[in-house]
Amino acid sequence: MLATFQVITDTHVRDEAGHIHNRHFEEALQDISSYCEKSLGIMHAGDVTDRGLAGEYAEFRRIWNGRPAGLPELYVTLGNHDIGAVLWEESGTPVDLSTLPDFEVEDALDGRFPDRAKAVDGQAVSENNAIDVGEVEAVNSEHRAAQPLNAAESLAVAAAEMGLDLAGMAERLGGSDATSGRARELWKRRMRRFADGTGEAAPYHDHWLGGYHFIFLGSESPHPKDCDLSEAQLTWLQERLAEEAASDRPIFIFLHQPVRDTVAGSMSEQGWYGVNQDAALKEVLSGYPQAILFTGHTHWQLEAKRTMYDGQGVMPSMFNASSVAYLWTDQDEHLTGSEGLQVEIYEDRVAVRGRDFVKRSWIADAEYTVNLPASVSQP
């Protein structure tokens, strides 16, 4: 074995030290410390925090600063929970940051939520937090027309019933090249908080570690669920993929949201794909079968189908990295648990193994191999 690294994602750290998400993160670090020999680093694929609040970043730093001795460096990218425009209060009420004045945005990110309700698709609702059903009926009607098919649709319905139109918000905030004004300023504010909290100031960045290229991508708009990649970022990615590329040397890529119809949770019927430039990203990635893309976002457990997507000599291999905070199943149900990946690099292959951080054991049905050198499929 030449080297290893670990992949974790979706820690969803909360501002309560005893929260199960925080305990799972601590347990994961303890477990990784027992088998991380020759590790190049721990790679985090986003949703470091649950809401991007100051108290959550403080808890993240407390946990990381108190980590076991011998752990390698942590490299992070951002998720929608870290920089998205929606915050969910403890009561379950959604707060649309894009409708707040600047001082209330800062208060909310410090954990002090405004007393009054926020806008419903741009229209203010009553000051006592009561939602006027008549005002939001138009927002809700399209969601109520049919029973939700999956968790993603259920989230949209729940948001609409509480006066938040995720679809309308996505339209206002989507498309990073066109994003300007209020949305762009909100994204910058969220990124500043992410930088202060994690030490990573860039939405996308790359590193050469042990002779291997590690590339991290991230959203450039405060979309509440999905990822927006600018043309500049896609061009940057194309250039980085070509840098010293060789068929026998893997390239490792990390992005929070998976591309559509690849790994578990990203199937069209499951609803947790989330790259708005899906086709453009796939075009950039095509022709790099030696690359391996790791994503989070779906929380799908590693025992589910499609943990690995085989690029078949055209696209990179792709892996769902599950979640440290909690899991999701193929039956579209929440599951208590905490998982991640161990990646081992050999001369002729890359081995990927699933790890149960709670049981401190390998997951027998989550062992995969990507053979090297990779060959480009001929058209």
Side-chain angles (χ1 to χ4, degrees):
M1 183 169 62
L2 303 177
T4 73
F5 63 89
Q6 294 71 43
V7 184
I8 61 173
T9 188
D10 293 87
T11 46
H12 287 270
V13 171
R14 296 294 296 261
D15 52 3
E16 313 155 43
H19 196 282
I20 189 171
H21 297 179
N22 301 29
R23 298 201 309 271
H24 277 168
F25 186 28
E26 291 173 313
E27 291 169 0
L29 295 179
Q30 287 283 348
D31 189 35
I32 290 171
S33 71
S34 70
Y35 61 83
C36 64
E37 185 179 358
K38 293 186 177 181
S39 177
L40 300 175
I42 300 173
M43 314 302 163
H44 195 311
D47 279 359
V48 175
T49 63
D50 200 45
R51 295 176 291 178
L53 303 184
E56 293 174 346
Y57 285 121
E59 269 297 292
F60 166 74
R61 291 192 298 272
R62 178 191 67 79
I63 294 170
W64 179 248
N65 290 340
R67 65 192 181 278
L71 281 179
E73 188 170 348
L74 179 69
Y75 298 85
V76 299
T77 192
L78 49 89
N80 55 299
H81 279 256
D82 300 312
I83 52 87
V86 176
L87 299 182
W88 294 84
E89 297 186 61
E90 295 296 339
S91 63
T93 302
V95 175
D96 179 352
L97 296 176
S98 69
T99 67
L100 301 183
D102 290 346
F103 75 93
E104 286 193 356
V105 170
E106 295 302 322
D107 282 348
L109 294 179
D110 283 334
R112 299 186 299 274
F113 295 104
D115 292 332
R116 61 184 175 81
K118 297 304 162 287
V120 179
D121 195 23
Q123 300 298 315
V125 298
S126 57
E127 292 290 316
N128 62 2
N129 281 332
I131 302 295
D132 188 319
V133 175
E135 291 182 3
V136 302
E137 185 59 35
V139 174
N140 293 341
S141 61
E142 63 178 295
H143 299 293
R144 291 174 176 160
Q147 185 71 19
L149 299 177
N150 54 46
E153 290 187 6
S154 297
L155 175 63
V157 170
E161 288 175 348
M162 289 182 282
L164 183 68
D165 175 21
L166 290 185
M169 175 185 262
E171 184 176 352
R172 295 197 309 273
L173 300 177
S176 57
D177 289 330
T179 299
S180 59
R182 183 66 181 150
R184 188 66 181 176
E185 177 57 31
L186 175 58
W187 179 79
K188 289 179 179 179
R189 286 175 181 271
R190 295 286 262 161
M191 277 301 305
R192 283 196 292 269
R193 295 279 183 147
F194 184 80
D196 291 343
T198 67
E200 180 50 66
Y204 52 97
H205 50 96
D206 69 319
H207 313 267
W208 282 91
L209 305 172
Y212 300 97
H213 207 169
F214 289 76
I215 301 173
F216 294 77
L217 308 177
S219 181
E220 294 175 82
S221 85
H223 196 289
K225 172 179 167 286
D226 298 337
C227 171
D228 273 310
L229 305 175
S230 67
E231 289 186 13
Q233 183 171 175
L234 290 169
T235 299
W236 175 89
L237 174 60
Q238 180 73 66
E239 294 170 349
R240 293 304 182 274
L241 286 170
E243 187 176 319
E244 299 185 30
S247 62
D248 61 348
R249 182 165 58 186
I251 305 167
F252 302 109
I253 310 170
F254 305 87
L255 173 64
H256 183 62
Q257 293 90 342
V259 293
R260 187 169 185 164
D261 292 329
T262 55
V263 297
S266 75
M267 299 298 108
S268 297
E269 65 273 15
Q270 293 172 322
W272 287 104
Y273 51 88
V275 180
N276 290 332
Q277 295 74 26
D278 190 274
L281 177 58
K282 287 176 178 176
E283 183 177 356
V284 172
L285 294 174
S286 65
Y288 288 93
Q290 74 270 40
I292 303 176
L293 173 64
F294 297 92
T295 58
H297 192 54
T298 74
H299 290 242
W300 244 254
Q301 66 179 139
L302 295 176
E303 291 183 350
K305 295 180 293 185
R306 296 185 291 266
T307 288
M308 176 185 175
Y309 169 84
D310 186 348
Q312 299 182 335
V314 177
M315 296 287 291
S317 298
M318 303 182 193
F319 286 91
N320 157 49
S322 191
S323 166
V324 169
Y326 64 90
L327 310 178
W328 212 255
T329 74
D330 267 341
Q331 289 70 47
D332 213 13
E333 296 174 342
H334 177 278
L335 181 67
T336 300
S338 181
E339 298 176 343
L341 299 175
Q342 162 85 347
V343 183
E344 301 169 354
I345 308 171
Y346 298 87
E347 288 281 359
D348 61 347
R349 68 194 186 280
V350 174
V352 179
R353 307 172 66 191
R355 183 73 175 183
D356 186 320
F357 295 132
V358 175
K359 296 179 180 178
R360 295 197 169 198
S361 62
W362 302 109
I363 301 172
D365 293 333
E367 296 187 359
Y368 305 91
T369 300
V370 178
N371 291 317
L372 298 171
S375 58
V376 178
S377 179
Q378 297 299 315

